[in-house]
Amino acid sequence: MTDTTATSKLIQGRTGNWEIVMGLEIHAQVASKAKLFSGAAVGFGAGPNEQVSLVDAGFPGMLPTLNGHCVEQAVKTGLGLKAQINRRSQFDRKNYFYPDLPTGYQISQLYFPIVGEGVVEVEAEDGSFFNVGIERLHLEQDAGKLIHDLSPTDSYVDLNRAGTALMEIVSRPDIRSPEEAVAYVKKIRTILIYLGTCDGDMEKGNLRADVNVSVCREGQYEKFKATGDFSHLGTRCEIKNVNSFRFISQAINYEARRQIEILEDGGSITQETRLYDPTAGETRSMRSKEEANDYRYFPDPDLLPLELEQAWIEEIRASLPELPDDKRRRLMSQYGLSQYDAVVLISEQAKADYFEAAAAGRDAKLVSNWVTNELSARLAADGKDFSVTGRRTGGPDRGGGHLLAHRQGSVRPRLGRRGHAPSGRGSPRSRPGQ
């Protein structure tokens, strides 16, 4: 059996070719100073259980109060995904017991989500584009955190994260390879950062993905697309909470091979939830996959249905920043950049902004090459990114001046390169949404 490649969506098994089919559920923490239904602060680095209200802790008689800013952030995200904004939505209780869920239920949106169908255009590694359908976006609460490594006999509960607002972005099963999955998550992350609705910090768990993986025989996916009949697809397994691009790719490759080996040996796939173990490089069973009826969903009796005014939605639409696809097209037309150069620049909002400031009155292609190659490499070597390239570190105007002088021959190449590479000392980091 061979691994998938960037140029093929097929895996060769012992008995023939197989196709991978995937849908992703991306959990993005809403950029907000307070939680979804309480006034408790949201932030990274606080001591255990220091950011917990009585609502978050599930005390009797405590009623939730919806955070309007989180609603605005969800609407803004839906508009950025070119999705339908549902003027009427509803919160439901998802009932299950777990020690990090004090109330015994999670407030989510099953039946009437705040955002409906949309579509995202994603660039593949070969420069082509493919579309991924968005099925829905809904708001929900995050759970707390269980800590198992502080004691050999006890587990500890930290509720700082409990009640934090999440946007769950659910895709259609339009993703066909590990490379496409990674490209899709990168694109969603970029859109959220441009919008300022999530900081996209995967290391802190502020953006993570549940990956639904299934395999089917070659040609069956086209039948599914033509008919909408899911019986043409295989049984899916969900890989929970994958929080890096590399792990997403590795988990998909392993899980697809695992399912194919079972099927070719005459077995069947059990629909279940699995975890990816990056140390062992494999997925392992977590629990059988639940369906909606297992959670006994019902409308939350403490929260009225949410009704949005169209005029308010249009105000948010008018306030949207320039989004990645629009910026890519503008950089190509305004500066004469190639599609490849424009895509590299827009991958980071700060990088694109730095380029435009540095390119003012200068050779845009030369500045683009410098920003995406020399400057990016120097920042990466120093463990920094473009958010540190402010005035105190030289800034784009100074950097562009050094570059122009280098091209005109007034600065020796080595001096020119060292002169415009910022050190980052004394420059505070900033993240969208803060």
Side-chain angles (χ1 to χ4, degrees):
M1 185 181 302
T2 59
D3 290 347
T4 56
T5 67
T7 57
S8 174
K9 297 175 182 176
L10 298 177
I11 299 179
Q12 183 179 353
R14 299 192 312 271
T15 61
N17 290 332
W18 298 81
E19 298 181 83
I20 311 177
V21 182
M22 286 167 288
L24 270 65
E25 301 165 13
I26 294 178
H27 298 263
Q29 181 174 313
V30 177
S32 173
K33 294 180 180 179
K35 296 184 180 180
L36 184 56
F37 295 110
S38 81
V42 174
F44 187 81
N49 297 305
E50 289 184 351
Q51 297 176 331
V52 185
S53 75
L54 298 179
V55 174
D56 307 324
F59 274 55
M62 298 296 105
L63 298 178
T65 302
L66 181 59
N67 183 336
H69 178 68
C70 293
V71 175
E72 180 179 348
Q73 294 286 63
V75 171
K76 185 181 293 185
T77 301
L79 293 172
L81 297 175
K82 298 180 174 61
Q84 173 67 38
I85 306 301
N86 296 325
R87 292 181 56 188
R88 190 180 192 276
S89 60
Q90 174 183 290
F91 288 98
D92 307 295
R93 288 188 182 180
K94 178 182 181 181
N95 297 276
Y96 66 96
F97 172 78
Y98 212 65
D100 59 8
L101 194 67
T103 58
Y105 60 85
Q106 177 193 40
I107 301 178
S108 183
Q109 293 184 307
L110 175 65
Y111 301 108
F112 301 101
I114 191 168
V115 176
E117 294 185 346
V119 64
V120 175
E121 185 182 59
V122 185
E123 188 190 24
E125 288 188 346
D126 62 3
S128 63
F129 289 88
F130 63 97
N131 289 333
V132 176
I134 300 298
E135 185 174 295
R136 55 188 281 143
L137 178 156
H138 62 262
L139 282 168
E140 64 182 18
Q141 297 171 302
D142 204 351
K145 179 182 180 182
L146 289 178
I147 304 170
H148 305 289
D149 56 0
L150 297 181
S151 167
T153 58
D154 300 316
S155 292
Y156 294 82
V157 181
D158 181 3
L159 296 180
N160 281 348
R161 201 171 64 187
T164 299
L166 296 179
M167 297 179 289
E168 181 171 333
I169 304 167
V170 182
S171 83
R172 300 285 297 168
D174 294 339
I175 301 168
R176 309 297 314 290
S177 71
E179 294 78 17
E180 285 191 359
V182 170
Y184 167 71
V185 177
K186 286 183 176 179
K187 183 59 176 287
I188 293 291
R189 179 179 180 272
T190 300
I191 291 172
L192 297 179
I193 292 174
Y194 270 66
L195 290 168
T197 56
C198 174
D199 66 13
D201 194 328
M202 301 181 76
E203 186 175 353
K204 294 178 181 176
N206 294 352
L207 189 141
R208 52 194 188 268
D210 298 342
V211 186
N212 293 280
V213 180
S214 67
V215 296
C216 61
R217 282 295 187 181
E218 182 179 5
Q220 291 299 302
Y221 182 77
E222 292 305 319
K223 294 181 180 179
F224 159 71
K225 294 295 286 185
T227 64
D229 185 354
F230 280 88
S231 67
H232 293 293
L233 305 181
T235 301
R236 62 185 172 90
C237 292
E238 182 182 42
I239 309 170
K240 292 288 289 185
N241 292 329
V242 190
N243 66 343
S244 85
F245 301 128
R246 181 163 57 93
F247 292 164
I248 289 172
S249 179
Q250 291 173 351
I252 292 169
N253 271 308
Y254 176 86
E255 180 60 22
R257 293 197 302 269
R258 185 190 72 85
Q259 293 184 22
I260 291 171
E261 288 173 1
I262 291 173
L263 294 171
E264 292 192 324
D265 288 339
S268 60
I269 303 302
T270 300
Q271 184 171 325
E272 62 182 352
T273 300
R274 301 179 69 84
L275 291 176
Y276 178 65
D277 182 345
T279 302
E282 63 185 21
T283 64
R284 51 185 173 83
S285 181
M286 182 180 176
R287 59 177 181 266
S288 61
K289 179 63 179 174
E290 299 90 349
E291 300 294 345
N293 59 339
D294 295 317
Y295 291 112
R296 307 183 310 282
Y297 280 95
F298 62 85
D300 192 301
D302 293 330
L303 293 164
L304 292 171
L306 179 61
E307 297 187 354
L308 307 178
E309 295 182 356
Q310 187 62 41
W312 185 66
I313 296 173
E314 294 307 319
E315 285 181 13
I316 297 174
R317 191 192 307 273
S319 71
L320 292 180
E322 185 179 38
L323 294 171
D325 289 341
D326 298 326
K327 188 180 287 288
R328 167 175 53 83
R329 287 187 282 266
R330 183 176 61 78
L331 292 183
M332 292 172 65
S333 63
Q334 181 175 339
Y335 296 98
L337 299 180
S338 67
Q339 176 178 293
Y340 173 81
D341 289 339
V343 167
V344 172
L345 287 171
I346 67 163
S347 64
E348 296 179 45
Q349 187 177 29
K351 181 190 293 186
D353 293 343
Y354 189 97
F355 159 76
E356 291 208 73
R362 302 183 177 98
D363 186 318
K365 177 62 177 176
L366 187 67
V367 174
S368 172
N369 289 339
W370 165 65
V371 169
T372 58
N373 295 309
E374 294 182 35
L375 183 54
S376 294
R378 183 62 178 267
L379 287 170
D382 290 343
K384 299 178 175 62
D385 57 35
F386 279 85
S387 65
V388 304
T389 53
R391 289 185 177 180
R392 296 182 65 180
T393 59
D397 189 64
R398 179 183 175 191
H402 274 288
L403 181 67
L404 184 61
H406 168 41
R407 188 181 189 196
Q408 294 174 341
S410 60
V411 177
R412 288 182 293 140
R414 185 63 177 171
L415 290 176
R417 181 175 181 180
R418 292 178 67 88
H420 67 241
S423 67
R425 289 188 294 272
S427 178
R429 286 180 178 268
S430 61
R431 290 190 180 277
Q434 293 185 346

